């Protein structure tokens, strides 16, 4: 028997549904499970038929909001009814995990287990069977991993360590510039690190964006866009294209790095001038 | 009165229809949700809108990003260089292509009970999104365009990769749908036509035969067609109005309703294939559906042209200050003209208004003026309401931002 899957949507933009469609060889994933409902892909039921169904894996995309209608049902009640019977709940995208961007408008919008960084009333009953896949959107490979995974190690936000133990900084093409503290003077070039001025949150954001590339080809930082920290409970912060600094030092340190250690290394790195890192990459010598 | 829940339209909508003797007598569209994007923006730095606005919609977030960028650039009186324009068009056209292919097969073919080659369809979607990501870093939800340019700095290698991808998608596309030759339809176009004919749907869903496009780019110019005459369209003639029992606002141009989207664009461009269909079937679902899939071919050609002519030695970005002030601008999204309006005070967003393509096409009638969706539904067979509704490629999440 193939595991039955229902993909339910709460307060969402549909971004995770469309992200999931980018999964290479998605046909395999469609065959491996019995898809009762997906908002974009072929599936066997209509919304109205879902309330008395049972599924092995319940996917939630989007936040939960009291009183939010899903067809003729109350979304939260429908979700809880299905979740109770499911073997596994997968919260896909930062809205389903923390409440996400729409929480900025209405604080009653929450994720399954978390409301921002706080535990919700569902934590006790659902934490055991819920895997959180935050991201705005979540990467298709991360979603496929969560559907398949059994007994994976989770962090304090129920995120699989295999995906979220890395920082977005790991694998960034601009690491040399970070090591030698060479900042990107402006947007639109291949050179320089975006952590010092352009607001990049890669060094302290959990995610494997530069390990498992987006659309098999790129990532934000690989095209010169700062990381906006979309896998974390405080996404979206404010002033996203500027680094908050104290006396010229980024206010948020790379993950786990004490400020004193950072300052020492920075002082040493900056005392050396590496000419190659101050030139355009493709310039002739 | 029958209430239909229309699902899988990037969210849901309710259609209240009353029928008599099998024909639609009256229709009213309701969108049940509201997510408050415009409110979230107030008080924020204008550049934060580049991250917030794509989250209006998971399938056309790129259009929302670029509408935001163009509105802020307009405020600063800035015109980007050719390289920036081409890169932005490439990624936006990619988004339109993936949208149209998904809609054509996963919605239209599915609803009409037609089978299709899922694997090839999926390869096209995946590859065209990969092409966009070469420049935008990811699809969906990129924020790679910003006032003054784009964050990417593509090399020859990336241009070459992009050219290969567009070539591959073009080849797959022709293999699936055949040629756009009205006398000689083949493959999936022929299968679609035959199914519409079998079900007596060829002439159904005719609307007001009025078209409007506000975006201007290398593909289409801002203009409208009223009584068969083409005239420029001006943003200041647009009015929004509240609608009962719905979270979506209606929208008019000089008090009249207009259709926006691929049918409007191809009519305004004068694309022969669509004009020939229009001559016979007017603005019925046939012309509307074929216009959307026809557009894919033209957009793929545009992407290819841009990749061949782009000068990557031009700068990707020019630093730009965003001044206080108020303005609006429009961009063409997959479903039609997308309009963003901003007011900046003391360096922060004081007000933001978004008017989406689906608002144009799904406004309910007002003040005795029939609207696009209402006119398309009235008099149609009651069983045809679902396909007529979907022929507009509805986006519920956009409409209830």
């Amino acid at each position: 028997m193939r595991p039955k899957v229902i993909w339910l949507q709460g307060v969402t933009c549909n971004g995770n549904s469309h992200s999931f469609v980018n999964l290479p060889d998605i046909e395999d994933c469609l065959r491996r499970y019995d898809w009762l409902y997906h908002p974009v892909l072929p599936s066997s039921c209509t919304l109205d038929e879902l309330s008395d169904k049972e599924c092995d894996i319940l996917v939630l995309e989007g936040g939960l909001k009291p009183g939010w209608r899903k067809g003729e049902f109350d979304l939260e009640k429908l979700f809880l009814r299905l979740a109770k019977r499911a073997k596994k709940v997968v919260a896909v995208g930062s809205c389903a995990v923390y409440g996400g961007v729409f929480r900025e408008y209405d604080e009653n919008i929450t994720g399954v287990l978390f409301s921002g960084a706080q535990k919700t009333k569902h934590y006790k009953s659902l934490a055991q069977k819920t895997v959180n896949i935050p991201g705005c959107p979540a990467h298709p490979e991360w979603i496929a991993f969560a559907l398949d995974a059994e007994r994976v190690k989770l962090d304090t936000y129920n995120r699989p360590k295999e995906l979220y133990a890395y920082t977005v900084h790991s694998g960034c093409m601009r690491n040399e510039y970070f090591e030698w503290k060479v900042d990107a003077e402006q947007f639109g070039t291949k050179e320089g690190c975006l952590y010092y001025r352009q607001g990049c949150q890669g060094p302290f954001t959990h995610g494997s964006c530069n390990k498992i590339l987006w659309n098999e080809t790129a990532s934000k930082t690989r095209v010169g866009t700062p990381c906006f920290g979309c896998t974390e409970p405080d996404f979206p912060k404010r002033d996203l294209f500027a680094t908050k600094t104290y006396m010229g030092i980024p206010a948020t340190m790379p993950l786990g790095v004490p400020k004193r250690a950072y300052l020492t290394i920075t002082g040493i790195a900056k005392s050396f001038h590496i000419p190659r890192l101050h030139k355009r990459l493709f310039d002739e010598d | 009165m029958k209430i239909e829940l229309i699902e899988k339209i990037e969210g849901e909508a309710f259609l209240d229809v009353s029928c008599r003797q099998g024909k639609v007598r009256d229709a009213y569209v309701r969108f049940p949700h509201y997510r408050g994007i415009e409110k979230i923006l107030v008080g924020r730095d204008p550049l934060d809108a580049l991250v917030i606005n794509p989250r209006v919609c998971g399938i056309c977030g790129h259009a929302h990003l670029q509408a935001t960028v163009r509105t802020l650039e307009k405020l600063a009186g800035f015109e980007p260089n050719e390289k920036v324009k081409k890169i932005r068009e490439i990624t936006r056209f990619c988004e339109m292509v993936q949208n149209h292919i998904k809609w054509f097969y996963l919605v239209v073919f599915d609803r009409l009970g037609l089978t299709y080659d899922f694997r090839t369809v999926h390869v096209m979607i995946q590859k065209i999104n990969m092409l966009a990501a070469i420049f935008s870093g990811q699809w969906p939800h990129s924020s790679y365009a910003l006032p003054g340019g784009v964050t990417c700095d593509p090399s020859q290698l990336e241009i070459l990769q992009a050219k290969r991808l567009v070539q591959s998608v073009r080849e797959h596309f022709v293999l699936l749908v055949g040629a756009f030759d009205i006398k000689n339809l083949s493959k999936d176009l022929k299968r679609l036509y035959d199914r519409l004919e079998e079900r007596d749907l060829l002439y159904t869903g005719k609307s007001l035969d009025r078209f409007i496009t506000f975006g201007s780019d290398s593909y289409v110019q801002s203009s409208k067609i009223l009584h068969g005459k083409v005239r420029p369209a001006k943003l200041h003639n647009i009015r929004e109005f509240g609608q009962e029992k719905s979270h979506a606002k209606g929208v008019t141009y000089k008090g009249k309703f207009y259709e926006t989207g691929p049918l409007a664009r191809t009519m305004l461009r004068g694309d022969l294939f669509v004009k020939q269909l229009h001559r016979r079937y007017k603005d019925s679902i046939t012309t509307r559906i074929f216009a959307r899939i026809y557009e894919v071919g033209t957009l793929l050609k545009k992407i290819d042209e841009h990749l061949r002519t782009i000068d990557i030695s031009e700068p990707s970005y020019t630093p730009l200050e965003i001044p206080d002030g108020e303005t609006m601008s429009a961009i063409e999204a997959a479903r039609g003209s997308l309009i963003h309006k901003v007011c900046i005070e003391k360096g922060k967003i004081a007000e933001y208004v978004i008017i989406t393509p689906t608002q144009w096409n799904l406004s309910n009638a007002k003040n005795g003026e029939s609207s696009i969706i209402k006119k398309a539904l009235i008099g149609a067979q009651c069983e045809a309401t679902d396909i007529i509704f979907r022929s507009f490629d509805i986006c519920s999440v956009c409409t209830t931002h």
Side-chain angles (χ1 to χ4, degrees):
Chain A
M1 278 291 278
R2 296 178 303 164
K4 290 189 171 76
V5 182
I6 291 177
W7 181 303
L8 190 65
Q9 288 182 313
V11 187
T12 181
C13 70
N14 285 14
N16 296 288
S17 285
H18 286 286
S19 181
F20 185 58
V21 174
N22 287 333
L23 184 73
D25 303 313
I26 198 165
E27 275 184 298
D28 175 62
C29 207
L30 290 180
R31 271 194 302 265
R32 186 135 26 124
Y33 305 101
D34 179 6
W35 290 86
L36 300 188
Y37 197 82
H38 186 281
V40 176
L41 293 166
S43 50
S44 56
C45 298
T46 64
L47 263 184
D48 288 343
E49 293 166 350
L50 291 185
S51 69
D52 52 7
K53 293 281 187 250
E54 283 190 26
C55 62
D56 300 289
I57 305 172
L58 175 63
V59 177
L60 180 74
E61 168 184 19
L64 295 171
K65 178 177 173 173
W68 186 267
R69 308 297 295 175
K70 197 69 199 166
E72 59 178 82
F73 305 108
D74 178 279
L75 165 76
E76 198 162 14
K77 285 183 190 147
L78 177 61
F79 167 77
L80 288 173
R81 192 181 314 155
L82 292 167
K84 214 170 167 183
R85 299 178 204 159
K87 292 194 186 79
K88 176 159 71 183
V89 174
V90 181
V92 162
S94 293
C95 292
V97 174
Y98 312 113
V101 60
F102 305 111
R103 213 179 122 69
E104 298 276 308
Y105 167 66
D106 183 349
E107 284 203 339
N108 293 317
I109 298 171
T110 72
V112 176
L113 303 182
F114 294 96
S115 169
Q118 306 297 315
K119 289 174 182 166
T120 63
K121 60 182 178 199
H122 308 311
Y123 187 90
K124 245 188 186 157
S125 58
L126 292 176
Q128 278 296 323
K129 57 167 127 174
T130 301
V131 178
N132 278 342
I133 306 292
C136 190
H139 190 293
E141 292 286 359
W142 308 347
I143 302 171
F145 176 77
L147 291 175
D148 192 63
E150 278 173 42
R151 291 187 295 276
V152 289
K153 282 190 181 145
L154 304 176
D155 69 11
T156 50
Y157 288 116
N158 277 44
R159 302 176 291 199
K161 289 201 169 178
E162 193 157 334
L163 303 172
Y164 296 90
Y166 301 92
T167 63
V168 172
H169 178 69
S170 321
C172 175
M173 301 280 289
R174 293 163 188 258
N175 272 350
E176 268 188 304
Y177 298 99
F178 175 82
E179 285 161 18
W180 295 96
K181 310 300 163 204
V182 178
D183 91 47
E185 314 224 323
Q186 60 175 40
F187 290 108
T189 69
K190 295 175 195 66
E191 299 84 7
C193 176
L194 303 161
Y195 170 59
Y196 306 106
R197 298 218 312 235
Q198 282 79 9
C200 185
Q201 300 182 31
F204 51 87
T205 297
H206 296 83
S208 42
C209 296
N210 275 309
K211 175 176 182 272
I212 308 171
L213 295 180
W214 285 84
N215 307 87
E216 316 334 299
T217 199
S219 70
K220 285 200 186 71
T221 65
R222 288 190 183 201
V223 298
T225 307
C227 163
F228 303 114
C230 71
T231 57
E232 303 292 352
D234 52 4
F235 172 78
K237 293 183 197 162
R238 301 180 87 84
D239 303 327
L240 293 159
F241 284 84
T243 302
K244 195 175 175 195
T245 57
Y246 296 123
M247 315 232 302
I249 306 296
T252 311
M253 288 289 101
L255 196 66
V257 176
K259 194 159 234 169
R260 203 162 61 88
Y262 179 83
L263 288 176
T264 308
I265 295 291
T266 301
I268 295 170
K270 278 198 165 172
S271 69
F272 295 95
H273 178 81
I274 313 293
R276 188 174 73 83
L277 298 179
H278 289 272
K279 285 197 297 196
R280 295 300 310 263
L281 201 53
F282 294 176
D283 271 358
E284 288 172 33
D285 288 326
Chain B
M1 175 78 80
K2 189 172 74 160
I3 300 168
E4 278 185 55
L5 167 69
I6 315 256
E7 59 187 295
K8 296 200 176 196
I9 48 165
E10 311 306 324
E12 297 95 40
F14 290 105
L15 180 61
D16 302 344
V17 238
S18 54
C19 288
R20 186 186 284 172
Q21 292 165 340
K23 297 270 173 72
V24 177
R25 281 189 61 227
D26 200 6
Y28 194 86
V29 186
R30 288 181 291 129
F31 287 95
H33 298 139
Y34 176 68
R35 295 169 304 153
I37 284 270
E38 290 157 337
K39 302 281 193 299
I40 294 170
L41 294 166
V42 172
R44 278 181 172 265
D45 182 90
L47 295 188
D48 282 2
L50 306 173
V51 179
I52 308 282
N53 285 346
R55 273 83 189 172
V56 167
C57 178
I59 197 165
C60 66
H62 225 77
H64 282 281
L65 169 68
Q66 295 199 19
T68 311
V69 170
R70 287 302 295 143
T71 309
L72 295 174
E73 283 180 346
K74 196 171 166 189
L75 207 53
F78 177 86
E79 269 298 310
N81 64 31
E82 281 303 304
K83 171 183 163 184
V84 168
K85 277 188 190 166
K86 281 178 182 166
I87 291 177
R88 288 180 187 171
E89 284 194 5
I90 288 168
T91 61
R92 184 162 51 89
F93 292 168
C94 285
E95 180 172 88
M96 290 160 82
V97 167
Q98 63 84 32
N99 176 80
H100 292 356
I101 294 170
K102 280 178 186 166
W103 168 85
F104 190 68
Y105 287 107
L106 300 176
V107 177
V108 174
F109 269 53
D110 184 70
R111 287 281 147 175
L112 292 172
L114 288 163
T115 56
Y116 56 91
D117 176 355
F118 182 87
R119 178 171 293 174
T120 306
V121 168
H122 183 255
V123 165
M124 286 163 67
I125 293 167
Q126 200 205 332
K127 285 196 173 183
I128 203 72
N129 288 340
M130 188 189 286
L131 199 172
I134 287 176
F135 302 96
S136 64
Q138 67 184 79
W139 190 95
H141 288 349
S142 160
S143 301
Y144 89 107
L146 73 173
V150 290
T151 63
C152 61
D153 180 16
S155 65
Q156 291 295 352
L157 176 71
E158 284 148 347
I159 299 293
L160 184 66
Q161 289 170 333
K163 280 180 185 166
R164 274 205 309 266
L165 286 167
V166 74
Q167 188 54 35
S168 164
V169 176
R170 287 179 82 177
E171 283 166 13
H172 284 307
F173 184 60
V174 173
L175 283 176
L176 281 187
V177 304
F180 287 92
D181 176 351
I182 194 139
K183 293 206 184 76
N184 228 340
L185 292 178
S186 61
K187 302 179 188 279
D188 284 351
L189 295 181
K190 172 92 169 94
R191 292 171 61 228
L192 172 67
Y193 181 91
D194 290 348
R195 180 55 53 95
L196 291 172
E197 191 173 36
E198 257 167 59
R199 298 208 178 163
D200 199 17
L201 290 169
L202 284 170
Y203 294 88
T204 203
K206 283 184 201 169
S207 188
L208 298 167
D209 215 22
R210 281 185 213 143
F211 306 107
I212 206 155
T213 293
F214 292 98
S216 285
D217 52 33
S218 74
Y219 171 58
V220 71
Q221 289 300 306
S222 169
S223 42
K224 65 177 172 96
I225 300 181
L226 178 63
H227 308 310
K229 291 201 180 83
V230 182
R231 294 268 184 277
K234 304 259 167 54
L235 289 168
H236 63 255
N237 292 321
I238 297 171
R239 295 285 177 274
E240 272 194 299
F241 61 91
Q243 305 190 106
E244 268 180 46
K245 299 186 284 180
S246 177
H247 281 290
K249 284 184 174 165
V251 61
T252 58
Y253 183 88
K254 284 191 175 174
K256 285 187 173 357
F257 294 98
Y258 283 81
E259 174 166 353
T260 186
L263 175 56
R265 287 193 287 255
T266 47
M267 287 298 288
L268 288 159
R269 278 168 50 88
D271 286 323
L272 188 64
F273 176 77
V274 177
K275 292 203 96 164
Q276 285 173 333
L277 281 169
H278 182 263
R279 207 168 297 147
R280 189 184 295 178
Y281 304 107
K282 297 294 173 218
D283 54 343
S284 67
I285 61 166
T286 307
T287 319
R288 198 172 290 122
I289 291 172
F290 277 90
R292 190 173 301 264
I293 199 67
Y294 173 82
E295 196 174 60
V296 170
T298 318
L299 291 172
L300 288 171
K301 205 168 148 211
K302 277 271 163 203
I303 294 168
D304 192 50
E305 270 171 31
H306 283 355
L307 288 169
R308 282 172 200 288
T309 54
I310 193 166
D311 174 6
I312 56 170
S313 69
E314 285 187 79
S316 288
Y317 174 74
T318 313
L320 197 63
E321 287 287 324
I322 310 295
D324 281 5
E326 200 177 336
T327 194
M328 68 197 289
S329 77
I331 203 153
E332 285 309 300
R335 295 170 175 75
S337 301
L338 170 64
I339 296 149
H340 280 208
K341 244 160 123 173
V342 71
C343 175
I344 313 271
E345 283 172 11
K346 295 182 187 154
K348 302 284 180 204
I349 296 170
E351 198 187 358
Y352 210 102
V353 177
I354 296 169
I355 303 172
T356 66
T358 298
Q359 283 177 256
W360 286 97
N361 293 335
L362 287 203
S363 288
N364 290 301
K366 188 191 176 226
N367 298 342
E369 284 281 333
S370 192
S371 69
I372 295 296
I373 184 68
K374 185 164 177 174
K375 177 79 176 163
L377 288 169
I378 300 257
Q381 299 291 336
C382 284
E383 312 82 77
T385 51
D386 184 82
I387 192 75
I388 294 172
F389 200 82
R390 287 174 200 273
S391 74
F392 290 97
D393 188 9
I394 307 311
C395 184
S396 172
V397 291
C398 267
T399 303
T400 55
H401 47 275

